[in-house]
Amino acid sequence: MQTPAPDIQQAHVAAQWAYDSPLVTCRFDPRGRFVFSSAEDNKIQRWDLATGNKVVLAAHDSWVFSLAALADGETLLSGGGDGKLIWWPAAAEAPTPTRIVDAHQGWVRAMAVSPSGQQLATGGNDRVVRIWSLTDGTKTHELPGHEVPIYSLLWHPSGQTLMSGDLRGNVKQWDLVTNLLARSFDAKSLHSYNGGQQVDFGGVRSLALSPDGKHLACAGLHKAENPLGAVLEPLVLVFEWESQKLVRQQIAEGLKGPLWRVQYLSDGTLVGVLGGSSGGFLIFWKADQDKDIHRFQLPNLARDMDLHADGLQIATTHADRHLRISKLAMKAG
């Protein structure tokens, strides 16, 4: 079945559910039954999309920064600031961990499931990418090479290539047949260093590959004149996949804050979630334009987003303790 083309002009908040603590990250169940979120109380929430009912999952000793659900909808994976990687029975009435692995030293900031559903990539503050078997939880590959924390991971649809992005704007492409670095993309415009505050700021917060496979989007922030004071602007760097040439710098004039995640819609439109001093926005860009073509203001500062398999629902987590589901309309014809 062909995915419907979205009408971004009709974006609206269709549902919102409150929790007891500010929310951090979120991911949909690929089968469309649930959306999962995490909160500052170290717990995970499973929300029933049909009813809004929630079930709370507890096992981590720190914030959960990354979530991933397997395609069959039966397994949820979570990675936390405690360095743990946890397997959960996603649809169980009262989920408890089925496997806990000490995966990283420090925060697990990113995870991504392979197209085959057989492997999981993780990365974080210890600067190493690790590949895990989803069958038995064993580590199968270790890919060192980053000098700073890893913020984002993306599998190529071929399943033989993995991308990793770090704090300083380095994007590495790994060949998983040889376990060697194949090439790198220079996204250093997404990194700033403030000598007065002695802080590195920014990084490749998100990676996305266009539906036709021709372009790689790297998102985050730039112009961090006063990073701790949130004086910064959102930025997407778009590279041509084959040539690695930087072909576009997509911006959102007048808005302040980082892009926490970007994803492509079925028609090639890029959507990103911004959360910063300007508040919370869903921002949309066409592939051939530098400036955004539409921005939808969310009720509160946003921290993460995920796109439903139907291509029309977008989940966002918020500092005001709400999970929100925004919907796009389906274009007529």
Side-chain angles (χ1 to χ4, degrees):
M1 183 177 66
Q2 186 177 7
T3 303
D7 185 350
I8 62 175
Q9 301 293 333
Q10 301 301 316
H12 63 282
V13 175
Q16 60 178 356
W17 302 305
Y19 186 61
D20 300 329
S21 178
L23 299 181
V24 181
T25 192
C26 61
R27 290 295 182 270
F28 279 109
D29 157 28
R31 291 180 59 185
R33 298 167 298 173
F34 309 118
V35 60
F36 298 92
S37 61
S38 67
E40 291 183 11
D41 63 0
N42 306 341
K43 297 175 182 177
I44 298 167
Q45 303 77 44
R46 185 187 73 196
W47 307 87
D48 187 305
L49 283 171
T51 65
N53 292 337
K54 74 174 183 294
V55 173
V56 177
L57 292 66
H60 282 280
D61 298 320
S62 184
W63 291 12
V64 173
F65 293 102
S66 51
L67 294 168
L70 300 193
D72 64 5
E74 298 303 316
T75 302
L76 175 73
L77 297 142
S78 60
D82 52 10
K84 290 182 170 59
L85 177 60
I86 299 181
W87 276 247
W88 304 86
E93 183 176 345
T96 57
T98 57
R99 180 181 293 119
I100 299 177
V101 174
D102 289 321
H104 289 268
Q105 295 293 320
W107 297 4
V108 182
R109 288 184 175 269
M111 64 170 58
V113 177
S114 67
S116 69
Q118 299 300 308
Q119 295 176 295
L120 178 76
T122 61
N125 280 14
D126 61 4
R127 309 180 298 280
V128 177
V129 177
R130 294 188 172 95
I131 311 296
W132 308 86
S133 166
L134 287 175
T135 303
D136 58 14
T138 59
K139 182 177 67 177
T140 60
H141 301 55
E142 189 163 290
L143 306 172
H146 285 278
E147 297 179 352
V148 289
I150 296 162
Y151 282 178
S152 52
L153 294 166
L154 175 71
W155 287 88
H156 188 272
S158 69
Q160 297 182 340
T161 294
L162 179 73
M163 310 298 297
S164 56
D166 71 23
L167 169 60
R168 290 185 183 154
N170 301 297
V171 179
K172 298 182 182 295
Q173 179 181 332
W174 303 95
D175 183 332
L176 296 183
V177 176
T178 64
N179 297 331
L180 296 175
L181 181 66
R183 57 182 185 164
S184 299
F185 291 75
D186 183 359
K188 291 185 177 62
S189 297
L190 298 176
H191 167 258
S192 299
Y193 178 75
N194 187 291
Q197 297 174 347
Q198 295 185 341
V199 61
D200 285 288
F201 206 75
V204 184
R205 299 289 176 158
S206 182
L207 295 162
L209 191 65
S210 61
D212 60 10
K214 294 182 178 179
H215 294 97
L216 176 70
C218 307
L221 60 94
H222 72 147
K223 296 184 179 179
E225 300 169 7
N226 178 14
L228 300 185
V231 181
L232 44 95
E233 298 178 13
L235 176 66
V236 182
L237 302 177
V238 181
F239 295 89
E240 191 174 71
W241 175 257
E242 290 298 333
S243 69
Q244 298 177 261
K245 178 183 177 182
L246 178 64
V247 295
R248 197 157 301 285
Q249 298 188 57
Q250 295 182 313
I251 59 174
E253 289 184 341
L255 294 183
K256 302 291 184 182
L259 290 166
W260 296 114
R261 195 178 188 209
V262 292
Q263 291 179 276
Y264 280 99
L265 303 181
S266 60
D267 65 352
T269 299
L270 187 70
V271 57
V273 66
L274 176 144
S277 56
S278 291
F281 285 86
L282 293 176
I283 309 172
F284 301 84
W285 292 269
K286 282 296 185 186
D288 60 350
Q289 297 182 33
D290 294 335
K291 296 181 181 180
D292 59 293
I293 59 168
H294 183 61
R295 54 184 69 170
F296 172 61
Q297 186 165 12
L298 295 159
N300 187 258
L301 186 150
R303 289 174 155 182
D304 195 18
M305 61 164 266
D306 195 35
L307 180 65
H308 192 280
D310 65 11
L312 297 175
Q313 298 181 75
I314 299 173
T316 50
T317 49
H318 296 268
D320 69 352
R321 308 182 181 196
H322 282 76
L323 178 82
R324 293 183 168 92
I325 306 295
S326 296
K327 286 190 177 180
L328 313 177
M330 187 187 303
K331 285 186 177 179

